[in-house]
Amino acid sequence: MLFEGEDLLQKSEAEMRRLRGRRIAMILQDPMASSNPLFTVGDQVAEPIRVHEHANPLNAWRRALDLLKAVRIASPDTRLRQYPHEMSGGMRQRIVGAIGISCEPRLLIADEPTTSLDLTIQAQYLNLLRELQQAHGLALIFITHNLGIVAKMCDQLAVMYAGRVVEAGPVRQIFNAPAHPYTQALLNSIPRLSDSRRRLTAIDGQPPDLAMLAPGCAFAPRCARAFDRCRSTEPPQTSMDDGRQLRCWLSTVGAGDVTDTVQSGAA
């Protein structure tokens, strides 16, 4: 796992603590769960600055004020002295965003940051994240189940199933021509206002138990195109001609081979 040329898996816990919050930061899914109800907003925004940059309390507080202005918190002087429960969901999400960028990280991981927001506030927050990303020149990893947000926010997309990346590549390529059956099913399950009579696609079955994964492809029990090899051997990651990465046996065998295998299995 490489970050700016450094293997993170070789670092000690002390070295990782110096990275977390400073060069790699995170916006967690639930701002009420990730913020501390016993401390004011100002204390929590200023804490990474004091810990990582050894700033004195006054300078850290001034930086916290500037950060609240950057994430467009109204009356920032007042909000610094308030507690998280005194703010709306949208404001709390902006606060954890301010904490995330407080030390100007090189990588910001946003884990479902819009789950608790209504659509209007969600759109404003996404625009804010994009502006912060461009202003600070940081890399943004956006984790979400909302493919509409992916289309709006991301350049590259990695579709995951059972803890594995099954398809990865440029967003436009994957949306226009999905190659993995799981990606195809996800895109087909999105409602379209232009075709209200079309029945939505449902993915049969249940997600697998990660502690008891069966042999072969994890998606095979739910895949309508699965054949014998899918159920016995895990597919390798392969590179497609357009540069995408795919983990599916359908990309490595010919259509005739698939048909023969399916018929043989049925027999």
Side-chain angles (χ1 to χ4, degrees):
M1 184 184 296
L2 299 178
F3 171 70
E4 293 188 329
E6 301 178 18
D7 188 350
L8 298 183
L9 300 182
Q10 301 300 318
K11 292 187 176 296
S12 66
E13 184 59 30
E15 290 174 320
M16 287 302 299
R17 284 180 64 85
R18 288 193 289 270
L19 279 176
R20 296 189 185 109
R22 185 175 188 179
R23 292 167 61 194
I24 302 176
M26 189 167 187
I27 299 175
L28 296 172
Q29 183 171 350
D30 184 355
M32 274 307 285
S34 59
S35 55
N36 193 323
L38 301 180
F39 292 92
T40 65
V41 165
D43 288 332
Q44 296 184 64
V45 177
E47 181 183 21
I49 302 169
R50 291 188 289 103
V51 170
H52 291 292
E53 300 184 7
H54 308 291
N56 64 54
L58 180 59
N59 287 336
W61 191 268
R62 289 172 176 168
R63 286 271 301 279
L65 179 62
D66 291 337
L67 286 164
L68 261 58
K69 293 177 181 177
V71 297
R72 299 175 189 165
I73 293 289
S75 305
D77 294 284
T78 301
R79 298 299 184 185
L80 281 176
R81 293 171 172 79
Q82 292 182 327
Y83 293 86
H85 71 271
E86 299 180 83
M87 301 183 181
S88 66
M91 293 183 69
R92 289 195 296 265
Q93 196 65 275
R94 291 171 187 264
I95 294 298
V96 295
I99 296 173
I101 65 170
S102 58
C103 292
E104 298 189 0
R106 302 305 302 151
L107 172 63
L108 180 63
I109 304 171
D111 181 13
E112 295 275 7
T114 60
T115 299
S116 60
L117 307 180
D118 62 49
L119 291 178
T120 302
I121 302 300
Q122 180 185 102
Q124 295 175 358
Y125 189 68
L126 291 175
N127 289 334
L128 174 63
L129 278 180
R130 180 182 290 171
E131 291 173 8
L132 291 173
Q133 185 268 331
Q134 294 173 350
H136 293 270
L138 54 86
L140 177 64
I141 296 178
F142 206 100
I143 304 169
T144 181
H145 291 89
N146 190 326
L147 290 172
I149 291 178
V150 171
K152 177 181 177 65
M153 291 291 294
C154 302
D155 301 311
Q156 299 285 324
L157 168 62
V159 180
M160 300 189 69
Y161 188 83
R164 288 288 187 95
V165 175
V166 296
E167 184 170 1
V171 167
R172 187 178 298 274
Q173 288 183 358
I174 293 179
F175 270 66
N176 290 338
H180 195 281
Y182 180 58
T183 310
Q184 295 168 359
L186 287 178
L187 292 173
N188 287 335
S189 67
I190 300 175
R192 290 173 172 80
L193 296 178
S194 59
D195 190 5
S196 59
R197 294 175 297 177
R198 186 178 68 87
R199 188 176 182 84
L200 292 179
T201 299
I203 304 176
D204 294 332
Q206 297 294 326
D209 183 349
L210 297 184
M212 301 177 61
L213 284 176
C217 174
F219 187 61
R222 309 177 69 188
C223 180
R225 302 173 63 189
F227 54 100
D228 288 352
R229 189 184 299 178
C230 301
R231 302 180 183 91
S232 62
T233 308
E234 183 177 346
Q237 180 173 291
T238 57
S239 298
M240 301 180 66
D241 293 339
D242 59 5
R244 273 185 286 179
Q245 301 295 315
L246 190 66
R247 194 182 295 274
C248 181
W249 283 119
L250 293 172
S251 66
T252 62
V253 298
D257 296 334
V258 174
T259 303
D260 292 342
T261 307
V262 172
Q263 290 175 348
S264 174

